[in-house]
């Protein structure tokens, strides 16, 4: 069964990652040895460090001690479950406190299981395996719900969730976040001329081209609705987003999908709007989304087949293909 779990994660291209949180080095060493060579193990010896690693490393599972000198395990668990970036990570408390009320409280605040100290390696492996399999199953179910059936890209619902999560992350880190919005030019005319089946084929080809232009695992592309797509680029400033947008324009141009009824080109083209910002405490992600949408509107108003960036308090058309 253990190998089956590892194989399932391998199909996704990585080892399961677990975060072990305990202020006693001997406990950390003992737990780490149980998974040596099989899992990607990261370690925190304090509650603060655990919160930082959970946010930035996004482990598949956390083994969490309750009694720690700075922030106890209960408070770590509460904070993780109240954060949209980390709320889906399962937490197993590893503790010498085995009273019924201790376990009841742990389950109440979001833990999925308890492991008693001193640990039994066979029990640890079995319970970790169970939770990793359950997480994989839940991840798969969420992905199905969040995928667009036509293009295989993530859908608008998942975009909204990812925008919220990455806004919070970039606000904490004081790093930039960028959005690229794009729309297929004269797509209704394309459907009218070539039929909806060809229209679907066109959208699928564009989706593949968009995915091929992204260079980092953290960058995401979504079908926003109809013939509109969006790219979410964490830790990316306006210049970086412009570079990706130019690559997208070139990739769509290279497809050379015929569009005889387009008013701007004999081939399918797109219009793009870009916005980027470093999130502040008194602002929301809606402003960034609105600015990218206004920039896209400006691209279409200025003749389509071009990029417009939101610069300062206004859109600025700067690229035409």
């Amino acid at each position: 069964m253990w190998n089956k779990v590892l194989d399932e994660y391998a199909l996704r291209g990585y080892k399961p990652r677990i975060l072990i949180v305990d202020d006693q080095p001997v406990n950390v060493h003992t737990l780490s040895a149980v998974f040596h060579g099989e899992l990607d193990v990261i370690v925190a010896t304090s509650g603060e460090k655990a919160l930082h690693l959970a946010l930035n490393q996004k482990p598949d599972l956390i083994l969490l001690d309750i009694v720690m000198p700075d922030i106890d395990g209960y408070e770590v668990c509460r904070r993780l479950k109240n954060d949209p970036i980390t709320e889906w990570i399962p937490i197993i408390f590893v503790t010498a406190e085995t009273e019924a009320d201790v376990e009841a409280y742990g389950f109440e605040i979001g833990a999925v299981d308890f492991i008693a100290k001193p640990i039994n390696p066979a029990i640890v492996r079995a319970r970790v395996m169970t939770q990793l399999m359950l997480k994989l199953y839940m991840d798969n179910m969420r992905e199905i719900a969040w995928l667009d059936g036509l293009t295989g890209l993530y859908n608008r619902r998942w975009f909204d969730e990812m925008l919220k999560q990455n806004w919070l992350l970039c606000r904490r880190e004081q790093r930039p976040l960028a959005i690229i919005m794009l729309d297929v030019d004269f797509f209704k005319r394309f459907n009218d001329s070539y039929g909806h089946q060809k229209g679907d084929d066109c959208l699928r080809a564009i989706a593949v081209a968009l995915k091929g232009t992204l260079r980092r695992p953290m960058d995401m592309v979504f079908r926003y609705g109809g013939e509109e797509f969006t790219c979410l680029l964490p830790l990316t400033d306006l210049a970086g987003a412009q570079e990706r947008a130019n690559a997208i324009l070139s990739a769509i141009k290279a497809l050379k999908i015929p569009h005889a009824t387009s008013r701007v080109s004999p081939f399918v083209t797109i219009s793009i709007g870009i916005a980027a910002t470093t999130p502040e405490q008194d602002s929301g992600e809606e402003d960034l989304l609105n600015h990218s949408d206004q920039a896209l509107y400006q691209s279409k108003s200025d003749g389509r087949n071009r990029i417009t960036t939101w610069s300062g308090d206004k859109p600025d058309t700067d690229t035409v293909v």
Side-chain angles (χ1 to χ4, degrees):
M1 189 65 174
W2 180 254
N3 287 335
K4 182 180 178 181
V5 174
L6 297 180
D7 289 344
E8 290 291 333
Y9 276 90
L11 289 174
R12 287 173 159 249
Y14 71 101
K15 287 182 179 181
R17 174 175 295 171
I18 65 169
L19 169 60
I20 296 173
V21 186
D22 198 303
D23 63 315
Q24 298 297 318
V26 64
N27 294 332
V28 169
H29 176 76
T30 301
L31 283 168
S32 299
V34 175
F35 309 107
H36 179 70
E38 295 178 311
L39 306 184
D40 181 9
V41 178
I42 53 178
V43 171
T45 55
S46 70
E48 284 288 358
K49 184 66 173 178
L51 292 169
H52 176 79
L53 287 175
L55 182 65
N56 290 278
Q57 298 292 323
K58 297 181 179 64
D60 296 290
L61 177 70
I62 298 174
L63 298 177
L64 179 60
D65 187 24
I66 291 179
V67 180
M68 291 184 291
D70 59 340
I71 303 174
D72 68 25
Y74 291 141
E75 181 61 20
V76 171
C77 183
R78 277 192 293 267
R79 292 192 193 182
L80 292 174
K81 293 302 174 182
N82 287 329
D83 191 320
I85 299 176
T86 56
E87 63 177 330
W88 297 108
I89 303 173
I91 297 171
I92 298 176
F93 279 122
V94 184
T95 178
E97 300 184 26
T98 57
E99 295 83 358
D101 58 340
V102 170
E103 291 196 5
Y105 184 64
F107 287 129
E108 180 183 331
I109 62 176
V112 296
D113 204 352
F114 275 77
I115 295 174
K117 293 179 180 178
I119 69 162
N120 179 316
I123 291 176
V124 172
R125 284 172 65 87
R127 294 191 174 182
V128 166
M129 176 200 69
T130 297
Q131 294 304 327
L132 287 175
M133 182 60 85
L134 286 173
K135 181 177 186 295
L136 193 62
Y137 174 79
M138 294 304 297
D139 286 348
N140 287 337
M141 291 301 99
R142 281 192 291 270
E143 285 193 5
I144 291 171
W146 293 329
L147 287 178
D148 172 60
L150 176 65
T151 63
L153 300 178
Y154 289 117
N155 59 23
R156 168 71 180 274
R157 179 183 174 189
W158 189 232
F159 169 78
D160 292 341
E161 181 66 25
M162 287 295 97
L163 176 58
K164 183 188 303 181
Q165 290 192 20
N166 281 282
W167 180 270
L168 292 174
L169 176 62
C170 289
R171 188 172 71 185
R172 286 175 182 152
E173 301 290 330
Q174 277 300 283
R175 302 286 298 278
L177 176 65
I179 293 177
I180 298 175
M181 296 281 289
L182 65 97
D183 189 86
V184 183
D185 295 327
F186 300 110
F187 190 67
K188 183 180 184 302
R189 288 171 172 262
F190 185 93
N191 273 335
D192 292 343
S193 299
Y194 298 98
H196 288 279
Q197 183 58 58
K198 287 291 186 182
D200 288 350
D201 292 342
C202 174
L203 293 178
R204 291 190 192 98
I206 288 173
V208 171
L210 289 174
K211 290 179 72 173
T213 63
L214 302 183
R215 294 289 177 262
R216 305 174 304 171
M218 69 181 70
D219 297 335
M220 292 168 282
V221 59
F222 308 81
R223 187 182 182 196
Y224 197 68
E227 66 272 23
E228 196 167 11
F229 299 83
T230 184
C231 299
L232 188 62
L233 308 176
L235 314 183
T236 303
D237 60 15
L238 194 59
Q242 286 175 304
E243 181 182 341
R244 285 300 91 216
N246 282 320
I248 289 170
L249 277 177
S250 297
I252 303 307
K253 181 180 180 181
L255 293 175
K256 291 190 177 298
I257 301 173
H259 191 348
T261 55
S262 171
R263 293 179 178 176
V264 295
S265 169
F267 301 104
V268 167
T269 60
I270 58 173
S271 299
I272 290 179
I274 307 171
T277 190
T278 299
E280 301 294 341
Q281 290 292 339
D282 58 350
S283 61
E285 65 272 16
E286 299 85 1
D287 291 337
L288 179 63
L289 182 58
N290 288 338
H291 290 162
S292 64
D293 193 49
Q294 290 175 52
L296 172 60
Y297 179 81
Q298 192 65 45
S299 282
K300 293 193 286 188
S301 297
D302 289 345
R304 295 180 169 84
N305 190 26
R306 66 192 66 217
I307 297 170
T308 299
T309 59
W310 183 269
S311 178
D313 59 354
K314 62 182 178 61
D316 178 23
T317 302
D318 58 6
T319 302
V320 180
V321 174

